[in-house]
């Protein structure tokens, strides 16, 4: 009988030890979890937002999206102008075909007007070469469609003579589906205009 009581006492003591150990482990894991949660929350609060120049706060996800949009928009506009105006008698068909993928009917209308004015025939007839040497872009990303103004400088090589021109253009950008390799940025130029063109004086 004495051994029976002893066995029951040992079992109860073991059970109490196990319960205490489990409770202690639960409290310890809960404390660690709360500590880690607090640590990462503080880290996120300190790094998940960015301050704009006007003092407003934006989540970094939106900042990254805006930066990516700006990079792609600038690249799209630059690529279009270099393709559309950087042409010669040997490559103009391929260049213009690529450029027309980047714009809508307003771009096509300017292309057709140049074609009817004999611009591309003169490239062939006189072996002219247009080279874009500078592209300056002003872009407004506040609201879509995104408005832009561009000033390009291009040279027309006539063999021994090179003339330099400054062309101002304007238009808008809208978001469309990406189309590789024709329109990799997923943007389309609309309301495109050639605002002014003037010949520059020869550089000394």
């Amino acid at each position: 009988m004495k051994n029976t009581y002893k066995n029951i006492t040992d079992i109860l003591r073991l059970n109490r030890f196990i319960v205490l150990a489990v409770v202690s482990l639960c409290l310890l894991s809960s404390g660690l979890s709360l500590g880690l949660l607090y640590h990462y929350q503080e880290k996120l609060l300190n790094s998940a937002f960015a301050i704009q120049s006007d003092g407003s706060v934006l989540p970094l996800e939106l900042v990254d999206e805006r930066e990516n949009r700006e990079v792609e928009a600038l690249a799209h506009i630059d690529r279009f102008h270099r393709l559309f105006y950087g042409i010669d008698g040997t490559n103009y068909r391929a260049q213009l075909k690529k450029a027309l993928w980047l714009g809508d009917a307003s771009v096509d209308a300017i292309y057709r007007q140049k074609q009817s004015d004999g611009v591309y025939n003169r490239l062939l007839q006189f072996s002219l070469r247009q080279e874009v040497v500078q592209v300056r872009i002003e872009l407004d990303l506040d609201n879509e469609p995104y408005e832009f103004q561009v000033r390009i400088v291009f040279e027309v090589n006539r063999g021994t003579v090179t003339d330099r021109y400054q062309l101002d253009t304007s238009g808008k950008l809208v978001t469309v589906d990406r189309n590789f390799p024709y329109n990799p940025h997923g943007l389309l130029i609309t309301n495109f205009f050639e605002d002014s063109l003037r010949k520059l004086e020869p550089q000394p």
Side-chain angles (χ1 to χ4, degrees), residues 1-123:
M1 197 72 172
K2 185 178 179 180
N3 289 337
T4 302
Y5 286 130
K6 184 178 180 182
N7 289 339
I8 292 174
T9 303
D10 292 340
I11 291 171
L12 291 174
R13 188 180 292 115
L14 179 61
N15 287 343
R16 186 175 64 176
F17 174 78
I18 292 173
V19 170
L20 289 174
V22 170
V23 170
S24 299
L25 286 173
C26 288
L27 290 174
L28 181 62
S29 62
S30 298
L32 287 173
S33 299
L34 289 173
L36 288 172
L37 181 62
Y38 177 79
H39 170 74
Y40 285 114
Q41 182 183 16
E42 288 295 312
K43 186 176 180 181
L44 286 173
L45 286 175
N46 290 330
S47 61
F49 298 94
I51 307 298
Q52 296 196 104
S53 58
D54 60 0
S56 58
V57 179
L58 281 179
L60 276 183
E61 182 179 353
L62 294 180
V63 174
D64 291 342
E65 180 182 343
R66 183 182 177 91
E67 289 177 351
N68 290 339
R69 186 187 301 127
E70 182 177 9
V71 169
E72 290 205 86
L74 292 173
H76 185 90
I77 296 168
D78 183 88
R79 174 177 168 79
F80 167 77
H81 283 81
R82 293 185 185 277
L83 287 171
F84 199 70
Y85 297 103
I87 55 178
D88 59 39
T90 61
N91 72 359
Y92 78 93
R93 288 188 178 89
Q95 292 281 92
L96 294 173
K97 182 178 179 181
K98 294 175 183 177
L100 291 173
W101 275 97
L102 308 180
D104 70 351
S106 61
V107 172
D108 186 65
I110 292 178
Y111 159 70
R112 292 183 184 279
Q113 183 62 48
K114 289 178 180 291
Q115 193 174 40
S116 65
D117 291 343
V119 172
Y120 307 122
N121 286 335
R122 287 195 292 274
L123 284 175

Side-chain angles (χ1 to χ4, degrees), residues 44 49 66 81 87 107 129 138 140 155 167 169 203:
L44 286 173
F49 298 94
R66 183 182 177 91
H81 283 81
I87 55 178
V107 172
R129 182 169 60 88
E138 292 183 10
D140 182 5
E155 295 177 344
L167 173 67
T169 68
Q203 294 181 338

